[in-house]
């Protein structure tokens, strides 16, 4: 049996209907923006392996940091103990996060980072003796697959089996251009009619919805409405964090700063699963009490895993190099040039670019579903041509590792352009 056949015996893959899905491709190795399968076919990873890998596959600098940590202290429980890598990560984040973020809580993945933020929002008001139990979220949001994160997510076919079992979430429209006022009005109405604890949002870019983008100013306005009504704001920067939008965090484009931030994905450069939720001092103080019941009783066995922390420190160090900042600007300029070339193509309805993120929407006759035939046709075409891209319905987006070469990027654009001829 080859590896793909052996996979089929026991493995259950994410987001996969095994009866109808194509068999998975076995990847043997990776270097930079490239991956190779078991037949040595080469692929350009144009989505940074689900947005986690900015600095390239098998990155030696991060690997060395991990090895050093693994052979010094691989793990110690974080209840009652601490260690230097966790302290260094927290100190480093204090340098690069908005100044109002003062406390750092570790968990394991993007969903748990969101889960922690939502639990903290709810318990914050509980601890203050105020009944506030509703969470506000955007339409078509994606915040993860654990229960509270799933409740906040608005992509309905992900969640339909669980309707009626969720925490209270109300949705408002995303303030895309032309829809700002509608979004403000909806938020005010929702706050008036519910006991709202928090508002969670993907700042500036809704990743899983298909890289839907909106401007910082309307988000500032939504945040001011929340502040006036003492609704806590939660920036889910799991996708946007660590340079993807051209700044370290999408929040850096804004005047208003969130009460909490969720980080994961690129945090460890795509090496070790780890996540962080950060908080203002004021939130922390609502849990700081002589009464033990006011504490945050949440934790994971691998909380603040030292190896993950070492990977995060190495990754942030890479992000901060001039070379990496130049890479981000270079990818952005390539995207803008491609956008100028492709935007008036007869099969393209819209294009959008922010930082290293590029998206285009393909004109279609009928509304296509998330995993519709067009999407599958495009996906297969890209794979055939050695490019890893996962279209969302009729939206094709590119979110490459920052270290992708100009030549590799041009090849990705060419294949995307060619794909427009087959749809
Ligand atoms: C991917 C993602 C999550 C969930 O992260 P996981 O590590 O997959 O659990 C949450 N929020 C956003 C914005 C994401 O892109």
């Amino acid at each position: 049996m080859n590896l793909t056949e052996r996979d089929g015996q026991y493995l259950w893959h994410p987001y996969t209907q095994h009866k109808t899905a194509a068999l998975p491709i076995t990847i043997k190795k990776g270097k930079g923006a490239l991956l190779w399968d078991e037949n040595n076919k080469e692929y350009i990873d144009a989505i940074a392996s689900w947005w986690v890998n900015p600095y390239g596959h098998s990155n030696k600098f991060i690997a060395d940091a991990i090895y050093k940590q693994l052979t010094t202290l691989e793990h110690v429980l974080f209840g009652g103990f601490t260690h230097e890598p966790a302290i260094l990560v927290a100190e480093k984040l204090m340098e690069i996060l908005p100044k109002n973020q003062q406390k750092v809580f570790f968990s394991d993945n993007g969903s748990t980072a969101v889960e922690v933020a939502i639990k903290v929002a709810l318990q914050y008001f509980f601890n203050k003796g105020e009944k506030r139990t509703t969470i506000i979220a955007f339409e078509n949001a994606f915040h993860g697959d654990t229960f509270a994160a799933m409740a906040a997510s608005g992509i309905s076919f992900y969640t339909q089996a669980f309707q009626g079992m969720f925490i209270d979430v109300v949705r408002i429209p995303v303030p895309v251009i032309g829809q700002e006022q509608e979004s403000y009005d909806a938020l005010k109405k929702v706050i008036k009619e519910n006991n709202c604890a928090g508002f969670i949002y993907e700042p500036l870019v809704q990743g899983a919805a298909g890289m839907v983008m909106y401007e910082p100013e309307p988000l500032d306005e939504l945040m001011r409405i929340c502040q006036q009504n003492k609704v806590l704001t939660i920036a889910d920067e799991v996708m946007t964090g660590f340079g993807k939008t051209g700044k370290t965090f999408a929040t850096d484009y804004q005047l208003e700063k969130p009460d909490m931030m969720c980080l994961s994905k690129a945090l460890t450069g795509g090496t070790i699963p780890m996540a962080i939720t950060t908080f203002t001092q004021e939130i922390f103080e609502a849990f700081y009490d002589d009464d033990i019941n006011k504490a945050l009783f949440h934790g994971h066995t691998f909380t603040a895993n030292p190896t993950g922390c070492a990977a995060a420190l190495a990754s942030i160090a890479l992000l901060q190099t001039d070379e990496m900042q130049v890479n981000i600007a270079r990818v952005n300029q390539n995207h803008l040039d491609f956008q100028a070339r492709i935007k008036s193509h007869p099969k393209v309805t819209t294009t959008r670019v922010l930082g290293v993120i590029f998206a285009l929407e393909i004109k279609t006759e009928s509304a296509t579903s998330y995993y519709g035939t067009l999407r599958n046709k495009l996906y297969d075409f890209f794979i055939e041509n050695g490019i890893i891209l996962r279209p969302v319905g009729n939206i094709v987006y590119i979110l490459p590792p920052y270290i992708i070469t100009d030549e590799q990027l041009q090849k990705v654009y060419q294949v995307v352009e060619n794909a427009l001829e087959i749809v």
Side-chain angles (χ1 to χ4, degrees):
M1 273 195 285
N2 66 21
L3 286 169
T4 302
E5 285 161 351
R6 280 162 59 197
D7 171 281
Q9 271 194 308
Y10 299 120
L11 290 166
W12 193 340
H13 286 260
Y15 307 115
T16 301
Q17 173 47 271
H18 279 274
K19 187 159 184 195
T20 53
L23 294 173
I25 297 162
T26 302
I27 297 296
K28 278 247 166 125
K29 62 175 184 182
K31 193 74 205 164
L34 297 176
L35 293 167
W36 288 271
D37 73 12
E38 58 182 328
N39 304 315
N40 275 326
K41 178 173 172 177
E42 187 178 286
Y43 301 84
I44 299 174
D45 183 358
I47 56 167
S49 283
W50 269 342
W51 324 335
V52 300
N53 192 314
Y55 318 114
H57 291 282
S58 310
N59 183 292
K60 190 165 182 315
F61 182 74
I62 304 175
D64 286 346
I66 290 172
Y67 182 80
K68 191 163 167 235
Q69 188 58 48
L70 273 177
T71 47
T72 307
L73 172 68
E74 81 303 335
H75 186 66
V76 65
L77 67 164
F78 211 56
F81 293 86
T82 192
H83 49 78
E84 192 176 27
I87 295 163
L88 288 172
V89 168
E91 289 171 351
K92 183 46 111 179
L93 286 176
M94 288 306 121
E95 278 173 34
I96 61 173
L97 282 168
K99 292 289 160 269
N100 72 338
Q101 300 299 303
Q102 288 294 315
K103 286 286 180 287
V104 170
F105 192 93
F106 284 91
S107 66
D108 302 344
N109 57 63
S111 303
T112 56
V114 167
E115 208 76 18
V116 167
I118 290 177
K119 284 177 73 174
V120 164
L122 296 172
Q123 193 181 338
Y124 172 89
F125 288 105
F126 178 86
N127 281 2
K128 285 175 173 278
E130 240 184 280
K131 189 180 158 21
R132 292 205 190 205
T133 53
T134 299
I135 299 294
I136 307 161
F138 278 139
E139 283 162 6
N140 292 319
F142 180 71
H143 296 294
D145 289 339
T146 55
F147 245 82
M150 179 170 61
S153 296
I155 299 175
S156 59
F157 72 88
Y158 275 11
T159 61
Q160 61 197 13
F162 312 103
Q163 291 307 323
M165 303 171 209
F166 289 140
I167 58 163
D168 294 332
V169 174
V170 284
R171 259 169 238 299
I172 62 169
V174 183
V176 290
I177 291 169
Q179 217 177 244
E180 296 92 340
Q181 193 60 44
E182 204 181 320
S183 184
Y184 307 153
D185 293 346
L187 179 60
K188 285 179 195 157
K189 186 161 181 277
V190 156
I191 291 176
K192 208 162 151 201
E193 292 174 356
N194 302 274
N195 295 316
C196 295
F199 166 44
I200 184 162
Y201 56 89
E202 294 156 87
L204 309 194
V205 189
Q206 287 187 301
M211 304 296 156
V212 171
M213 296 182 189
Y214 60 98
E215 297 295 311
E217 293 78 16
L219 182 55
D220 278 329
E221 182 58 25
L222 292 172
M223 289 172 72
R224 280 191 289 270
I225 296 168
C226 287
Q227 288 158 10
Q228 282 152 16
N229 292 280
K230 303 217 160 8
V231 172
L232 299 172
T233 52
I234 305 166
D236 178 355
E237 293 240 21
V238 168
M239 188 283 281
T240 49
F242 304 103
K244 307 246 180 65
T245 63
K247 294 196 187 244
T248 306
F249 300 104
T251 297
D252 296 341
Y253 284 93
Q254 290 189 257
L255 296 173
E256 304 302 330
K257 300 302 169 200
D259 296 302
M260 306 181 218
M261 291 174 72
C262 305
L263 310 172
S264 187
K265 292 209 165 108
L267 171 64
T268 60
T271 57
I272 293 189
M274 196 171 80
I276 287 176
T277 315
T278 64
F279 307 93
T280 60
Q281 185 66 23
E282 205 231 319
I283 291 180
F284 180 75
E285 277 166 14
F287 292 74
Y288 188 83
D289 201 277
D290 291 325
D291 181 359
I292 188 167
N293 293 311
K294 289 199 172 171
L296 177 62
F297 283 103
H298 185 104
H300 299 279
T301 312
F302 279 94
T303 296
N305 171 252
T307 314
C309 291
L313 285 169
S315 298
I316 298 170
L318 285 177
L319 178 66
Q320 290 188 311
T321 59
D322 291 343
E323 191 188 338
M324 204 57 69
Q325 294 301 316
V326 168
N327 279 330
I328 292 170
R330 179 180 57 80
V331 170
N332 176 256
Q333 190 55 53
N334 275 292
H335 281 350
L336 291 171
D337 295 345
F338 179 52
Q339 181 181 40
R341 178 166 110 220
I342 203 79
K343 69 175 182 223
S344 43
H345 190 288
K347 297 249 177 73
V348 172
T349 50
T350 50
T351 57
R352 38 187 186 264
V353 173
L354 183 66
V356 304
I357 308 167
F358 170 92
L360 67 76
E361 292 194 26
I362 297 175
K363 201 171 279 173
T364 51
E365 302 297 305
S366 56
T368 44
S369 70
Y370 205 85
Y371 279 104
T373 32
L374 171 67
R375 185 264 174 208
N376 291 341
K377 197 171 161 188
L378 287 166
Y379 179 80
D380 293 345
F381 180 81
F382 295 139
I383 289 296
E384 233 170 77
N385 284 278
I387 310 286
I388 300 178
L389 285 171
R390 284 174 66 95
V392 178
N394 64 328
I395 300 167
V396 176
Y397 73 83
I398 305 168
L399 199 171
Y402 309 159
I403 50 74
I404 192 170
T405 65
D406 285 347
E407 200 188 355
Q408 289 163 344
L409 209 40
Q410 291 307 325
K411 174 154 187 229
V412 174
Y413 298 146
Q414 192 55 56
V415 173
V416 169
E417 215 170 330
N418 295 347
L420 295 174
E421 302 312 318
I422 63 140
V423 297

